[in-house]
Amino acid sequence: MTKVTWALCAIVAVALAFPAAGVTKQTGGTLNMIAWEGYLQPQWVTPFQKQTGCTIKPKYAGSSDEMVTLMRSGGGSQYDMVSASGDASLRLIYGHDVQTVDPSKVPDFKNFGKAFQSPPNNTVGGKHYGISLQWGPNTLLYNTKKVTPAPTSWSVIYSPKYKGKITVPDNPIQIADAALYLMKTKPSLGIKDSYELNPAQFTATINLLKQQKPLIKKYWALASDEIDLFKNGDATVGAAWPYQTNTLIAAKAPVKDLVPKEGATGWLDTWMVSAHTKNLACAYKWLAYVSTPKVQAEQAIYFGETPVNSKACPIMDKLSKGSCEQYHANAPLKYFKQIYFWKTPIADCGNGQKNCMDYTKWQQAWTQLKG
Amino acid sequence: MAASLDAAQGLISRRRARRFGGALALLGTPIGFFLAVYLAALAALFVSAFWTVNSFTGELQHVWTWSNFTTLWHGSIYRTVALRTIGIAAAVTITDALLAFPFAYFMARVAGPRVRAALFVLTLLPLWASYLARVYAWRLILDHDGLLNWSLQKVGLPAANIAYTNTAVWIVFSYIWLPFMILPVYAALERIPHSYLEASRDLGARGGRTLRSVILPLALPGVVAGSIFTFSLTLGDYITPLLVGGGGGTQFIGNVVYDSVNISSNLPFAAAYATVPLVVMGAYLLTARRLGAFEAL
Amino acid sequence: MERRSTKIALAAFTALVLAFLYVPIALVCVYAFNKSNVQSWPIAGFTTKWFSPAIHDTAMQTSLWLSLKAAAFATLAALVLGTMAAFGVHRFRFFGRELVSFVLVLPIALPGIITGMALNSYFTFWKVNFSLVTIVIGHATFCVVIVYNNVLARLRRVPASLEEASMDLGANRFQTFRLVTLPTISTALVSGALLAFALSFDEVIVTTFTAGAQNTLPLWILGSIRLGQQLPKVNVVVFLILAFTVVPVLLAQRLTRESGILRTE
């Protein structure tokens, strides 16, 4: 082999022998966390890492299903924490993937609104399986220049007026949104809970979605999908998270969002700790940190959601005038009742009937629908 | 005489034993690795296609059943998706073959040595620019307000509405796998001895005839080898359809399998559906072997 | 040999194909200077403000380092295993010889998602922790065949008389291998290694299933793409990597050209 080749080999060997460049010295542990896009911004993660010495490695997921799968991967030993929404948390609890947490170790727990201290989606049999984080709606997002007059109802995403310019999330739970619309516009179907649908109600909902399909430009799977769709003129109206709205407005796109008159589905997120985590100390430090009023306010404004800590409101207004009112952090109960929070559909309809469609059927129907 | 014959036979059988031992030593490690890890994992995966999973807890149920396959058989969507994927894979293969052949021919037989070296480097370089970044860049091109429509508008043509359709997926797949088609075709064309073409000309054949009767048959193994890549990569990819597809009716086999395992946590169903690309590629490989593609990889 | 007009037409076509190949790459490089963090056409303005944050991003650095290590080890494994297999198949005739090629080509002929899913559940079953080792194993499966094919093709073109002559001149097997055989296959090893490294470095699908909670560079890029907030950073990283790899690729091309065995019969 030529001298050059030997030299190259020597360089490579030496380079491999060096420890990784740029890896921060870890005084604490590392937390591998599964989170929604926008939940682990450097704005509040960097101070945490500095304060506690714990390192955070985020893994973004776009749907509760993904989060559940990730949490279970590798025998459940891969990730330490997950910001699970209501439709994932119960699955994780019953699958023994998460452990109980002690709220007394979280100083701000006593400042949480009553509805968020022990909600049914993270408290089972009196045991807490996580600490509530934030909550918010799935909003109707629209381009103010192209969609006039400003919409007030979800009907705009089911009408042919904006054919080929509509986008909705690529997520089987989206069926609940259609069911919610039918609940309000077709009471004769008798839908009482958009997550508990008997076969007839389910078929009607799927038919509505089938009618919607030719109007859809793309079923967005990643948050950036929707951002690109709206920024580049492919979509002018659709279902979104406030995160996309905020990003688009920051990028000077003419958009606005709202919760339409029929109400909206939404999510109530909980930070849960893996049953197999090796960094319990860091996990508790994070739970305490993310519940403090300042971080609650920062995250709420950034993502566009509502904090569970009632002390966050004044800080929100300090950071961004009027944001407390905008995100309903000061009058949560009335607004709270407008939102139909995600939960996992199961066969038990809760009223004695057991013929509701369970989530597997939702997933199959969704795949069938997309085509 | 007999003694030396015996000695010779002994020598031959010792040689044969040494050869076999040698073969074992050389091949033992790589084949051993493949058997113990890759093939065993594949077998385990396809065995799990006959199991089910508890939808609420995600635990694998080791109960033997055909249910995954019956769901596949009865669900028309799975047939649609499979046919769509195979169709687009074929379209991508043909597109890439048509794009790669003249390019490789120029590179192998027309270009001077400096140009050829430059073209070779230029063909390899895209493989180093992240696949994800390049696919994402296509969104900029195909979006409603993107580069393509901007250019069409400048020339006075109507805007195309390609974003997030199967056409977009076809274009981007053809783009991404093109270097994988160029390389084997180039290698095959480069191997054709100059004397063959001279002989063909001496026998009276003009360019077109030589192309049809001499060059194409000799280049075919290279094309088939390249098509193994384009076909199989399209059959299993879910990222490109996710990023540049996504409208109604643009699911690919890869998406259904990925959704099944990463979203529904239903590994048995994913494994069952994965038998489709397995069978298709198995058949394709057997045909490719007949056409001599394995030597051209 | 060909008519002049054919040559010109071919050259023009080649230029068009090159344009097709490089327009998206050019876009990536240009948008590394995008003022806005959301990509749209035309570009919102030019700035170099993303370069420093991109280079200093610790998550990116860790993932880049992991990618380099994984690719290096996978290429090394491929070199060793692929060469051994090529020699085994070339030297000896035995039952099932064809099967070896078939088995080795499977990882690259079957979709990556199958390999990924299979290895993932296999590792989970044997309670193997997802780490650099699992990533390397995943990559090695499809890298082996690249080196194998390159070396085998070269061996078929090298006359056996060279080795015999060497041994006649008194060299033992090891010396023959080191001084005669290895140099003749060296360029095949280099080009195979380069392609294997490139494939491993940029691999996404199998890695998604075998990396666990860690990020290789492509996984970091995927995470950034999901977020949609820092796309110019991704473009900066890709742009810089491309700039850095031009030199090794050129170098490798030079090496394989000069010292290779006869390229035409």
Side-chain angles (χ1 to χ4, degrees):
Chain A
M1 291 211 275
T2 66
K3 289 212 184 81
V4 175
T5 334
W6 275 119
L8 281 172
C9 288
I11 294 175
V12 168
V14 167
L16 280 176
F18 268 90
V23 169
T24 49
K25 195 97 95 64
Q26 291 171 17
T27 48
T30 307
L31 286 174
N32 290 313
M33 302 169 85
I34 306 170
W36 298 100
E37 288 117 336
Y39 272 35
L40 291 174
Q41 294 303 109
Q43 192 182 352
W44 52 89
V45 164
T46 315
F48 172 77
Q49 292 183 145
K50 266 211 199 93
Q51 263 178 273
T52 60
C54 301
T55 313
I56 292 194
K57 285 164 77 180
K59 176 90 168 183
Y60 300 115
S63 70
S64 291
D65 296 333
E66 261 186 270
M67 291 190 170
V68 171
T69 309
L70 282 170
M71 203 58 182
R72 290 180 180 158
S73 66
S77 59
Q78 287 300 305
Y79 295 94
D80 300 293
M81 298 184 74
V82 59
S83 64
S85 296
D87 59 334
S89 45
L90 282 180
R91 283 191 272 167
L92 290 170
I93 295 174
Y94 285 115
H96 306 291
D97 302 301
V98 292
Q99 56 176 284
T100 54
V101 296
D102 181 3
S104 63
K105 292 203 180 135
V106 180
D108 272 285
F109 187 77
K110 55 184 189 293
N111 296 325
F112 284 10
K114 279 281 165 287
F116 307 115
Q117 284 182 336
S118 311
N121 66 359
N122 66 31
T123 309
V124 175
K127 297 212 187 84
H128 293 92
Y129 285 91
I131 302 292
S132 297
L133 172 64
Q134 306 251 354
W135 54 281
N138 293 310
T139 54
L140 178 64
L141 176 66
Y142 65 98
N143 184 322
T144 49
K145 292 217 169 77
K146 300 267 173 68
V147 179
T148 49
T152 55
S153 157
W154 282 112
S155 62
V156 69
I157 65 169
Y158 299 105
S159 93
K161 184 167 178 213
Y162 298 101
K163 177 174 171 142
K165 293 281 189 211
I166 300 178
T167 179
V168 294
D170 182 1
N171 188 340
I173 207 80
Q174 194 60 21
I175 294 175
D177 284 63
L180 171 62
Y181 182 68
L182 285 179
M183 177 160 59
K184 298 289 157 92
T185 56
K186 283 221 182 87
S188 56
L189 281 170
I191 301 177
K192 292 282 176 290
D193 182 329
S194 50
Y195 302 93
E196 285 163 6
L197 303 171
N198 65 33
Q201 295 164 342
F202 192 72
T203 312
T205 313
I206 296 292
N207 282 338
L208 174 64
L209 288 168
K210 280 199 186 133
Q211 282 168 16
Q212 186 195 43
K213 181 172 146 190
L215 313 173
I216 302 274
K217 180 63 182 173
K218 179 177 165 94
Y219 291 91
W220 63 266
L222 316 171
S224 59
D225 281 349
E226 194 168 35
I227 295 171
D228 280 346
L229 282 165
F230 273 86
K231 181 79 180 152
N232 292 304
D234 281 295
T236 53
V237 66
W241 303 331
Y243 172 74
Q244 281 87 297
T245 317
N246 288 353
T247 311
L248 282 165
I249 291 179
K252 308 218 185 353
V255 297
K256 244 188 175 174
D257 70 357
L258 72 142
V259 174
K261 64 184 186 208
E262 294 94 357
T265 56
W267 20 270
L268 171 48
D269 295 339
T270 308
W271 271 117
M272 305 182 113
V273 183
S274 165
H276 309 276
T277 181
K278 299 191 182 58
N279 285 304
L280 203 55
C282 274
Y284 270 105
K285 287 192 186 142
W286 175 256
L287 288 175
Y289 178 77
V290 84
S291 310
T292 56
K294 178 156 183 286
V295 179
Q296 287 266 306
E298 284 175 341
Q299 182 170 343
I301 293 175
Y302 185 84
F303 193 91
E305 48 189 358
T306 313
V308 297
N309 189 331
S310 49
K311 291 217 153 81
C313 181
I315 305 189
M316 283 174 81
D317 275 333
K318 225 190 299 172
L319 290 171
S320 165
K321 211 162 189 319
S323 59
C324 182
E325 162 109 33
Q326 184 186 358
Y327 297 119
H328 308 273
N330 57 351
L333 208 59
K334 174 162 160 280
Y335 174 62
F336 188 73
K337 295 231 189 301
Q338 256 192 308
I339 298 187
Y340 300 84
F341 289 100
W342 283 348
K343 61 181 190 185
T344 311
I346 49 177
D348 185 349
C349 298
N351 57 354
Q353 308 239 318
K354 288 218 193 294
N355 64 343
C356 279
M357 307 299 263
D358 72 9
Y359 195 55
T360 317
K361 302 228 174 45
W362 283 48
Q363 289 167 332
Q364 282 172 352
W366 188 254
T367 306
Q368 195 98 22
L369 171 74
K370 276 195 296 175
Chain B
M1 199 58 194
S4 52
L5 193 61
D6 278 339
Q9 276 178 338
L11 186 64
I12 290 174
S13 56
R14 271 205 303 284
R15 269 234 188 98
R16 207 175 275 156
R18 225 193 318 199
R19 251 203 248 141
F20 187 67
L24 204 65
L26 275 178
L27 287 166
T29 324
I31 296 298
F33 165 73
F34 267 76
L35 273 175
V37 180
Y38 182 70
L39 291 175
L42 268 191
L45 179 71
F46 289 108
V47 159
S48 76
F50 293 95
W51 292 338
T52 55
V53 82
N54 178 320
S55 62
F56 205 65
T57 62
E59 279 158 16
L60 219 59
Q61 322 270 47
H62 298 251
V63 181
W64 298 97
T65 167
W66 284 97
S67 64
N68 291 319
F69 291 97
T70 48
T71 313
L72 283 179
W73 189 250
H74 291 299
S76 63
I77 179 69
Y78 304 113
R79 212 163 324 176
T80 314
V81 168
L83 288 174
R84 176 188 303 143
T85 313
I86 296 174
I88 300 243
V92 168
T93 305
I94 294 174
T95 311
D96 275 345
L98 289 174
L99 286 176
F101 193 83
F103 185 91
Y105 189 85
F106 180 79
M107 219 164 84
R109 311 218 68 102
V110 177
R114 282 246 199 92
V115 177
R116 182 185 310 146
L119 284 176
F120 195 78
V121 169
L122 286 175
T123 308
L124 272 184
L125 221 47
L127 297 178
W128 290 90
S130 161
Y131 159 85
L132 291 167
R134 287 182 291 149
V135 172
Y136 201 75
W138 271 99
R139 299 226 292 216
L140 262 180
I141 301 176
L142 296 175
D143 274 346
H144 186 264
D145 298 339
L147 180 54
L148 177 67
N149 284 348
W150 178 85
S151 316
L152 288 174
Q153 192 196 36
K154 282 264 183 306
V155 214
L157 290 167
N161 200 15
I162 300 183
Y164 308 114
T165 60
N166 282 323
T167 314
V169 180
W170 161 63
I171 294 177
V172 179
F173 269 141
S174 304
Y175 166 80
I176 295 280
W177 310 138
L178 187 56
F180 292 113
M181 179 64 95
I182 293 179
L183 291 174
V185 175
Y186 165 74
L189 282 173
E190 186 225 355
R191 270 202 288 266
I192 301 179
H194 197 68
S195 47
Y196 281 30
L197 302 181
E198 280 183 357
S200 168
R201 196 176 56 163
D202 288 344
L203 287 169
R206 284 217 307 270
R209 185 78 204 279
T210 309
L211 180 72
R212 263 200 335 269
S213 312
V214 180
I215 300 177
L216 276 180
L218 287 171
L220 189 64
V223 175
V224 177
S227 73
I228 293 181
F229 285 120
T230 59
F231 216 82
S232 96
L233 290 169
T234 309
L235 275 185
D237 193 283
Y238 60 86
I239 293 186
T240 300
L242 196 67
L243 287 176
V244 294
T250 60
Q251 286 186 97
F252 279 58
I253 293 180
N255 297 103
V256 176
V257 172
Y258 180 76
D259 284 351
S260 199
V261 75
N262 259 23
I263 296 183
S264 309
S265 285
N266 196 345
L267 184 70
F269 186 74
Y273 203 43
T275 52
V276 173
L278 180 76
V279 165
V280 171
M281 280 321 292
Y284 202 84
L285 281 176
L286 286 171
T287 329
R289 211 191 63 171
R290 286 270 170 75
L291 295 169
F294 279 11
E295 277 80 54
L297 266 175
Chain C
M1 184 90 225
E2 295 80 11
R3 284 203 313 270
R4 186 130 195 281
S5 56
T6 320
K7 286 193 185 173
I8 295 181
L10 282 175
F13 189 86
T14 305
L16 283 176
V17 171
L18 271 182
F20 179 59
L21 274 177
Y22 278 88
V23 163
I25 298 181
L27 280 177
V28 170
C29 296
V30 166
Y31 275 75
F33 299 90
N34 191 3
K35 231 189 206 156
S36 162
N37 63 350
V38 175
Q39 293 195 152
S40 64
W41 178 268
I43 195 170
F46 289 90
T47 170
T48 54
K49 74 177 182 200
W50 299 103
F51 274 78
S52 183
I55 297 174
H56 291 108
D57 186 326
T58 43
M60 187 283 289
Q61 289 172 343
T62 323
S63 62
L64 175 62
W65 184 238
L66 186 64
S67 276
L68 286 172
K69 278 199 290 195
F73 284 123
T75 307
L76 197 63
L79 280 173
V80 171
L81 295 177
T83 313
M84 286 172 84
F87 271 91
V89 166
H90 180 72
R91 283 265 167 78
F92 305 105
R93 282 166 219 320
F94 55 91
F95 179 73
R97 205 160 160 233
E98 298 253 306
L99 208 58
V100 174
S101 293
F102 191 82
V103 165
L104 288 180
V105 94
L106 269 184
I108 216 167
L110 289 182
I113 194 169
I114 294 184
T115 310
M117 286 197 307
L119 286 178
N120 180 300
S121 46
Y122 197 65
F123 289 144
T124 311
F125 177 73
W126 287 107
K127 307 235 188 321
V128 176
N129 222 6
F130 290 113
S131 64
L132 179 64
V133 176
T134 51
I135 300 178
V136 170
I137 292 179
H139 289 193
T141 57
F142 58 79
C143 286
V144 171
V145 72
I146 296 171
V147 176
Y148 168 79
N149 275 316
N150 266 14
V151 175
L152 192 57
R154 175 60 55 82
L155 283 176
R156 288 201 176 128
R157 281 151 51 165
V158 168
S161 48
L162 279 177
E163 284 191 352
E164 288 175 7
S166 158
M167 295 211 273
D168 284 344
L169 288 169
N172 63 26
R173 290 204 83 87
F174 183 64
Q175 279 175 319
T176 306
F177 180 74
R178 195 165 58 90
L179 299 167
V180 178
T181 322
L182 206 53
T184 58
I185 63 168
S186 61
T187 60
L189 288 177
V190 168
S191 54
L194 195 66
L195 192 56
F197 194 93
L199 288 185
S200 160
F201 189 70
D202 197 31
E203 214 283 327
V204 169
I205 296 183
V206 175
T207 321
T208 308
F209 287 94
T210 55
Q214 308 165 88
N215 274 348
T216 55
L217 189 67
L219 290 178
W220 175 81
I221 292 179
L222 192 56
S224 300
I225 284 182
R226 293 199 83 113
L227 209 52
Q229 287 277 331
Q230 298 173 330
L231 288 159
K233 268 168 103 175
V234 171
N235 291 339
V236 166
V237 172
V238 175
F239 170 62
L240 290 175
I241 289 181
L242 202 56
F244 276 129
T245 52
V246 174
V247 172
V249 172
L250 264 173
L251 207 71
Q253 160 69 5
R254 274 289 183 74
L255 283 176
T256 54
R257 223 167 48 86
E258 308 298 342
S259 49
I261 293 281
L262 330 153
R263 291 171 82 247
T264 51
E265 257 78 49

